[in-house]
Amino acid sequence: MSRSDLPAAPLPDAHLPDAHLREETIESNTVYKGHFIELRRDRVQLPDGREAAREYVVHPGAVMIVAMLPDGKLVMERQYRYPVGQTMIEFPAGKLDAGEGGLACAQRELWEETGYKARRWAKAGIMHPVIGYATEIIEIWFADELTLGERHLDDGEFLDVFSATLSELEDWMRDGQLTDVKTIVGMMWLSKFRAGAWPLQWVSA
């Protein structure tokens, strides 16, 4: 029997018992607490009984907005990201304020950063962008039926707003000009939505 004739392995179920994989917290310590992130260093017990250290960032969570213009183009941003020392091409995004819901945050960030407001919104899903060292969860929101007004950037925030087609974004990703992971996930979700494979449940704002 050739390798191609072997039956495909079943996909793992995220809800299968996982006691043999889990790590249990023994002690948790804050190493640094900043304006909106916190660095923690924990001591954990591994599944085999040994102990290990885990260092990670506690993040409040964020949203990303795939905002669709009437001509099919997408609202995009160019923003300098200091940690990587590059100006990045991204979908609009921002962190959740304390007690703020995902939709309210998405509406606020889109308006503040780009000046656009949307009449229709849909939550596509969530992503964990950096599971190895941060708690961050990003909600993926779609925005449609846009109207443009004046933007209201935060103090010390500088970014360009422009529009692009999905095809242009894909070309930039292929060529290494677009490398932001949340934007790449948004592009995938948009492609599935436009193909009719992943429908969205729209709500009026």
Side-chain angles (χ1 to χ4, degrees), residues 39-118:
L39 176 61
R40 300 192 68 84
R41 191 175 196 273
D42 292 1
R43 189 158 55 94
V44 303
Q45 184 177 59
L46 302 175
D48 63 3
R50 292 180 297 159
E51 293 184 8
R54 295 287 181 260
E55 296 177 346
Y56 61 99
V57 172
V58 177
H59 189 283
V63 300
M64 179 190 69
I65 307 103
V66 181
M68 302 179 294
L69 294 165
D71 62 2
K73 290 186 176 181
L74 307 162
V75 178
M76 306 299 301
E77 297 177 354
R78 291 177 69 249
Q79 186 171 8
Y80 183 80
R81 294 297 190 176
Y82 182 82
V84 295
Q86 296 182 47
T87 297
M88 308 293 283
I89 298 170
E90 309 173 47
F91 283 125
K95 70 177 181 65
L96 290 160
D97 287 341
E100 186 177 37
L103 177 56
C105 181
Q107 291 171 327
R108 175 179 58 78
E109 288 290 346
L110 183 65
W111 173 66
E112 288 180 351
E113 293 188 352
T114 72
Y116 281 102
K117 292 186 177 181

Side-chain angles (χ1 to χ4, degrees), residues 148-203:
L148 180 60
E150 182 180 354
R151 62 180 182 162
H152 297 76
L153 295 175
D154 291 337
D155 184 40
E157 188 174 33
F158 303 90
L159 56 87
D160 293 336
V161 178
F162 68 103
S163 63
T165 65
L166 178 58
S167 178
E168 288 172 328
L169 299 183
E170 290 171 341
D171 288 346
W172 296 336
M173 181 180 70
R174 178 199 61 208
D175 297 338
Q177 299 177 65
L178 191 164
T179 58
D180 174 56
V181 67
K182 68 180 182 301
T183 299
I184 292 171
V185 172
M187 291 162 54
M188 178 201 70
W189 210 291
L190 175 63
S191 180
K192 291 289 188 179
F193 165 66
R194 287 182 171 174
W198 293 0
L200 296 170
Q201 298 297 318
W202 295 94
V203 296

